[in-house]
Amino acid sequence: MSLDQTDRRILRVLQKTGRISNADLSEAVNLSASACHRRVQRLEADGYIRDYVALLDARKLNVPTTVFVEITLSGQADEVLDAFEKAVSRIPDVLECHLMAGTADYLLKVVAENTDDFARIHRQYLARLPGVAQMQSSFALRTVFKTTALPV
Amino acid sequence: MSLDQTDRRILRVLQKTGRISNADLSEAVNLSASACHRRVQRLEADGYIRDYVALLDARKLNVPTTVFVEITLSGQADEVLDAFEKAVSRIPDVLECHLMAGTADYLLKVVAENTDDFARIHRQYLARLPGVAQMQSSFALRTVFKTTALPV
DNA sequence: TTTCAAACGGAAGAATCTTCGAATACTGTC
DNA sequence: GACAGTATTCGAAGATTCTTCCGTTTGAAA
């Protein structure tokens, strides 16, 4: 099964305003409310729509600082990777963790109050991660833009 | 004005399931429906809650590949940065753009169908960005985890 | 043209939201 | 401790929205 233009329009709208009423959504995509509702349910059931979430303001919540951390492990054995990933996933300040090709093994996206707070996170969590050979942190001075909306 | 424990619980829930009914949310945080509703409205009005969005499945939508692109500009003049940022913000496949401290000037998060598709994005958009002195792309082999939920 | 399956629209009951007034809990002052 | 003033709570009810049902339309294949 695949997506037609109407499905894509629905997804584009929901990626921007996930709490739009079904009536308004149906109008935005030129469908009746019932037909629109059926399509949304199908998109949810088929897994195209993973979740609906609230996006919070990082400044207001006092975590305006983003840091990217490149990590090289001491080995490539599965046990080393698994142990590392398991430990990383428990750190609440780490929002993303990617296994990378190239020099570094992992790239982490971390949020913090400020540099001091990142020092705490580093000391409390990052420095204790298992199997780490090298770690390099890069601070974002400013987030130019950021979206969760995939190209559809 | 600041957040008490109930506010934080509300935010934690909404970050996970942004479409929870107010009745269920009020139960989850031990409030009456009306009191809960008032708090959510305040959190929205005060800007703690930015948006409600649907998160889509990148695999299902055929953009399973994430690439991080480090870019160094040829100069640091405001006009150079502004022109660069303006041009980057028009590329639909770029989900994030951060101005960085350290060696590279910018870090971009890009999604693509596969490596060939990234080559297209590179040729069509990235290679044409103004003021670029150097560019290095790092492919993610696998996204270990990813969340939009800030620590609250 | 006929048939069939898929998708559609409109209507109605069920669920939910949103707002109101009255009651309760907190806070600072005397 | 008593008091006043403010902020926050609760429960109820009207307004809105969701969800399902059923008859109709559409489009593709025989």
Side-chain angles (χ1 to χ4, degrees):
Chain A
M1 72 140 287
S2 69
L3 303 176
D4 63 16
Q5 273 310 108
T6 302
D7 288 324
R8 292 179 191 280
R9 271 208 296 273
I10 290 175
L11 292 178
R12 274 196 291 272
V13 172
L14 289 178
Q15 277 195 123
K16 295 291 179 189
T17 70
R19 258 197 161 172
I20 190 174
S21 77
N22 184 63
D24 289 349
L25 177 60
S26 68
E27 191 173 354
V29 301
N30 284 324
L31 273 185
S32 71
S34 58
C36 183
H37 184 254
R38 244 192 313 272
R39 277 179 183 256
V40 172
Q41 280 193 323
R42 191 178 52 106
L43 291 167
E44 289 171 359
D46 291 349
Y48 288 93
I49 298 174
R50 264 192 176 297
D51 272 319
Y52 297 91
V53 302
L55 298 182
L56 307 186
D57 187 306
R59 280 218 170 69
K60 285 264 184 186
L61 286 162
N62 206 25
V63 284
T65 307
T66 302
V67 187
F68 290 91
V69 182
E70 290 177 295
I71 293 176
T72 307
L73 296 194
S74 55
Q76 300 288 346
D78 274 359
E79 306 82 51
V80 177
L81 303 187
D82 286 351
F84 176 83
E85 292 181 9
K86 197 167 246 173
V88 168
S89 66
R90 288 199 211 94
I91 310 177
D93 312 280
V94 178
L95 302 190
E96 297 184 25
C97 173
H98 304 268
L99 178 63
M100 303 296 292
T103 44
D105 290 324
Y106 286 97
L107 179 62
L108 273 46
K109 180 177 165 185
V110 183
V111 293
E113 286 181 33
N114 46 48
T115 53
D116 281 354
D117 187 44
F118 181 73
R120 170 193 64 82
I121 294 166
H122 189 280
R123 197 173 52 243
Q124 185 173 350
Y125 295 113
L126 302 181
R128 298 178 184 176
L129 287 170
V132 172
Q134 208 179 80
M135 190 175 309
Q136 186 187 333
S137 305
S138 304
F139 281 73
L141 297 173
R142 176 168 55 87
T143 295
V144 180
F145 62 85
K146 179 170 59 170
T147 180
T148 57
L150 303 176
V152 177
Chain B
M1 70 141 287
S2 70
L3 303 176
D4 63 16
Q5 272 311 109
T6 302
D7 289 324
R8 292 179 189 280
R9 272 209 295 273
I10 289 175
L11 292 178
R12 274 196 290 272
V13 172
L14 288 179
Q15 277 195 123
K16 296 290 179 188
T17 70
R19 259 198 161 173
I20 189 174
S21 77
N22 183 64
D24 289 350
L25 176 59
S26 67
E27 191 173 355
V29 300
N30 284 325
L31 274 184
S32 70
S34 58
C36 183
H37 183 254
R38 180 195 301 281
R39 277 178 184 257
V40 171
Q41 279 193 323
R42 191 178 52 106
L43 291 168
E44 289 171 0
D46 291 350
Y48 288 94
I49 299 173
R50 263 192 177 297
D51 273 317
Y52 297 91
V53 301
L55 299 181
L56 307 187
D57 188 307
R59 278 218 173 68
K60 286 265 183 184
L61 286 162
N62 205 26
V63 284
T65 307
T66 302
V67 187
F68 289 91
V69 181
E70 290 177 295
I71 293 175
T72 307
L73 295 194
S74 55
Q76 300 288 345
D78 274 359
E79 304 83 51
V80 177
L81 302 188
D82 286 350
F84 176 82
E85 292 181 10
K86 197 167 247 175
V88 169
S89 66
R90 289 200 210 94
I91 310 178
D93 312 280
V94 177
L95 302 191
E96 297 184 25
C97 173
H98 304 267
L99 177 63
M100 302 296 292
T103 43
D105 289 323
Y106 285 97
L107 180 63
L108 272 46
K109 180 177 164 185
V110 182
V111 293
E113 285 181 33
N114 46 48
T115 52
D116 280 354
D117 187 44
F118 181 74
R120 170 192 64 82
I121 295 167
H122 189 280
R123 197 174 51 244
Q124 184 173 351
Y125 294 114
L126 302 180
R128 298 178 184 176
L129 286 171
V132 172
Q134 209 179 78
M135 191 175 308
Q136 188 187 331
S137 304
S138 304
F139 281 72
L141 296 173
R142 175 168 55 87
T143 295
V144 180
F145 63 85
K146 179 169 57 170
T147 180
T148 57
L150 303 175
V152 177

